[in-house]
Amino acid sequence: MGEAPAFFLDDLDREFSNGFALKSKGSQTTTVIGDKTYVIGGTDDESTSTIGVQIFNRSTGEVTIPTVLGTKPKQCKDHSAMLLNEDRILIVKGDSTPEDCAWFLEVDTKFVKQQQNNFETEVVAWSKGARGDAEKPIVISGPSGVGKGTLIAKLMEEFPFMFGFSVSHTTRSPREKEKDGVHYHFTDRSVMENEIKDGKFLEFASVHGNLYGTSAEAVEVVADAGKRCILDIDVQGARSVRASSLKAIFIFVCPPSFEELEKRLRDRGTETEEQIQKRLRNARAELQQGQSPGLFEHILVNDDLETCYESLKKVLGLDGIAGTTPKPMPNFVDLPVDRSVSKIDQKIRINCRSAELENASEQLFVLDLSSLKGGAPGRTRGLNMYAIDPFANGIKYEI
Ligand SMILES: Nc1ncnc2c1ncn2[C@@H]1O[C@H](COP(=O)(O)OP(=O)(O)OP(=O)(O)O)[C@@H](O)[C@H]1O
Ligand SMILES: Nc1nc2c(ncn2[C@@H]2O[C@H](COP(=O)(O)O)[C@@H](O)[C@H]2O)c(=O)[nH]1
């Protein structure tokens, strides 16, 4: 028990008075883990608006710029850093909303250790702290032309506030009506290959001669919006998601016959004859793999569209439910720069001093870390955040 110290800029000067070439500009914190000191924030690289990371190794005397994975937090006026479980550093950003105040820099987690094998430099990985749990994503697979996209579009139209689409990356060219960032993130092969190497993707596969992949970010932004994520991916991708830490529901869509599948692909008119032939060849293999034991929990036959859509709703527990209203937006509270951060058990206490609170000059926010799940390269979810009301005998209220 007892309070762990918060680290501020002053510590940095003491730490590095021996003249090592650490880039320092703006707010920085230092966190010591064994021989390494993690210097977070304040690099003077004008090209980036995100918080930088440098590592000072005491035993070798070297300063390293590590490979940084995951979505990086935006620069802020200042932040506090606190070591958690020897494998990650909690960053509390000043002057930020509760939605953006907690970030985790993973320095020695399982994910970082795995990624360390791919890189010759040190590796660290960011993950944003997010409140509450995300609902299980839904993986929908099936051969090209079976109607996955059509079913998903119907679901999103009827339940716009409940479901969000995971926008995949692909190296294939856009079709006439497809928009970048909406239907896919259309990308170059070399860029996507590098991003795969950087651990950005939850899964990826070569499908009909092109690369396709689901980035961790694509799934997380849907959950951040409070929606349930739908992934339209091929069977190889579904297999990879099954093997990953992402817990999902797996649905396979079959055509009523091979002839009907061919007809739908042709009638859609989006592929050349050569591409249609390739997709049909792959469809035979996919239809077989779709039956693999333990892969898909639900198999739907898309013969009549309305009937299949009703079956899909039933599988998702939505039969008899028509549409939904939007969820109320959560309250936003600014965390002022003037604060101190300490840790007691699994609770981080953020004591804020605010000029606006004239009489009662302090307010206490608490980040409860006892139910954390997930982590880099996506989000660390399960964060619980509340404030203690200074005017009401310490009554807790959700923010
Ligand atoms: N039950 C159905 N009956 C008849 N036509 C259908 C049915 N479902 C979908 N279609 C049509 O079949 C075509 C292919 O559907 P869709 O594009 O949704 O397939 P998909 O599985 O998403 O394909 P891909 O994997 O290539 O993206 C579309 O023209 C669509 O309108
Ligand atoms: N493994 C993945 N497969 C994906 C992803 N996004 C789409 N797909 C699958 O590719 C085929 C072809 O799609 P099309 O848009 O070119 O017709 C289809 O089966 C999709 O399900 C992905 O991110 N990963």
Side-chain angles (χ1 to χ4, degrees), residues 143-150 175 232 260 264 268 279 302-305:
S144 176
V146 74
K148 303 178 297 293
T150 309
R175 292 175 187 144
D232 174 347
E260 173 64 16
R264 285 182 196 173
R268 189 170 71 180
R279 284 176 183 241
N302 183 17
D303 189 351
D304 172 65
L305 182 60

Side-chain angles (χ1 to χ4, degrees), residues 33-324:
I33 308 178
D35 273 350
K36 293 177 188 165
T37 300
Y38 291 84
V39 183
I40 300 173
T43 59
D44 60 359
D45 182 353
E46 300 293 350
S47 65
T48 169
S49 58
T50 54
I51 295 181
V53 181
Q54 300 163 84
I55 303 172
F56 174 65
N57 189 318
R58 290 155 197 272
S59 55
T60 62
E62 283 174 3
V63 175
T64 333
I65 308 284
T67 300
V68 183
L69 305 176
T71 305
K72 298 165 192 159
K74 293 246 167 5
Q75 288 274 16
C76 54
K77 276 192 202 141
D78 83 324
H79 67 264
S80 307
M82 181 162 287
L83 179 61
L84 303 174
N85 305 329
E86 299 290 312
D87 65 359
R88 71 197 67 204
I89 300 165
L90 169 70
I91 299 296
V92 179
K93 289 172 75 175
D95 203 18
S96 68
T97 63
E99 303 310 310
D100 188 48
C101 74
W103 286 76
F104 296 85
L105 181 72
E106 300 193 6
V107 295
D108 197 30
T109 56
K110 194 172 154 204
F111 174 74
V112 166
K113 282 178 186 154
Q114 281 166 352
Q115 296 301 322
Q116 205 98 37
N117 297 330
N118 298 336
F119 297 92
E120 283 168 12
T121 56
E122 295 256 13
V123 174
V124 295
W126 284 109
S127 120
K128 183 176 172 178
R131 289 191 284 172
D133 291 329
E135 270 194 276
K136 263 189 188 178
I138 301 153
V139 171
I140 302 190
S141 287
S144 176
V146 74
K148 303 178 297 293
T150 309
L151 288 163
I152 292 169
K154 277 176 78 66
L155 200 61
M156 305 241 306
E157 193 185 353
E158 188 177 359
F159 301 95
F161 304 110
M162 197 180 280
F163 298 103
F165 186 60
S166 156
V167 181
S168 295
H169 284 61
T170 182
T171 60
R172 89 153 157 74
S173 310
R175 292 175 187 144
E176 207 176 83
K177 288 186 181 154
E178 284 178 333
K179 288 200 183 94
D180 188 33
V182 176
H183 298 93
Y184 280 106
H185 298 289
F186 295 100
T187 180
D188 288 338
R189 183 172 276 268
S190 59
V191 172
M192 189 159 166
E193 281 172 350
N194 276 333
E195 290 177 341
I196 289 170
K197 206 172 142 236
D198 286 352
K200 180 171 171 172
F201 289 90
L202 286 177
E203 65 78 29
F204 61 91
S206 175
V207 190
H208 318 313
N210 285 297
L211 268 183
Y212 292 77
T214 309
S215 69
E217 192 61 18
V219 174
E220 299 295 357
V221 291
V222 175
D224 286 351
K227 296 181 183 182
R228 192 166 181 189
C229 187
I230 304 180
L231 287 77
D232 174 347
I233 59 177
D234 86 319
V235 177
Q236 305 168 75
R239 218 182 275 284
S240 304
V241 174
R242 259 271 184 231
S244 79
S245 56
L246 188 74
K247 298 284 162 262
I249 290 182
F250 293 80
I251 300 171
F252 188 76
V253 186
C254 294
S257 67
F258 206 78
E259 292 68 35
E260 173 64 16
L261 181 71
E262 181 165 357
K263 181 176 180 306
R264 285 182 196 173
L265 256 184
R266 284 190 194 291
D267 289 353
R268 189 170 71 180
T270 49
E271 270 73 33
T272 63
E273 181 56 29
E274 195 187 340
Q275 286 164 343
I276 290 173
Q277 290 305 331
K278 187 181 253 181
R279 284 176 183 241
L280 288 174
R281 272 196 306 277
N282 293 339
R284 291 196 186 278
E286 285 193 87
L287 286 168
Q288 258 188 351
Q289 290 163 15
Q291 319 290 328
S292 309
L295 183 49
F296 293 98
E297 286 126 337
H298 306 281
I299 297 185
L300 306 178
V301 179
N302 183 17
D303 189 351
D304 172 65
L305 182 60
E306 289 310 319
T307 311
C308 186
Y309 179 59
E310 285 309 313
S311 307
L312 175 62
K313 279 173 63 176
K314 198 165 181 182
V315 159
L316 299 176
L318 297 169
D319 45 333
I321 299 176
T324 48

Side-chain angles (χ1 to χ4, degrees), residues 303-374:
D303 189 351
D304 172 65
L305 182 60
E306 289 310 319
T307 311
C308 186
Y309 179 59
E310 285 309 313
S311 307
L312 175 62
K313 279 173 63 176
K314 198 165 181 182
V315 159
L316 299 176
L318 297 169
D319 45 333
I321 299 176
T324 48
T325 46
K327 290 180 190 168
M329 288 296 287
N331 294 330
F332 287 91
V333 179
D334 280 337
L335 287 182
V337 171
D338 189 8
R339 62 171 197 283
S340 67
V341 178
S342 57
K343 180 172 184 278
I344 297 180
D345 294 336
Q346 290 301 304
K347 292 192 172 62
I348 306 294
R349 297 160 59 94
I350 308 169
N351 267 302
C352 299
R353 287 168 289 280
S354 166
E356 285 154 35
L357 295 171
E358 284 159 8
N359 296 329
S361 60
E362 292 221 339
Q363 190 169 23
L364 179 65
F365 293 96
V366 178
L367 285 177
D368 186 344
L369 308 180
S370 54
S371 316
L372 295 187
K373 293 187 200 86

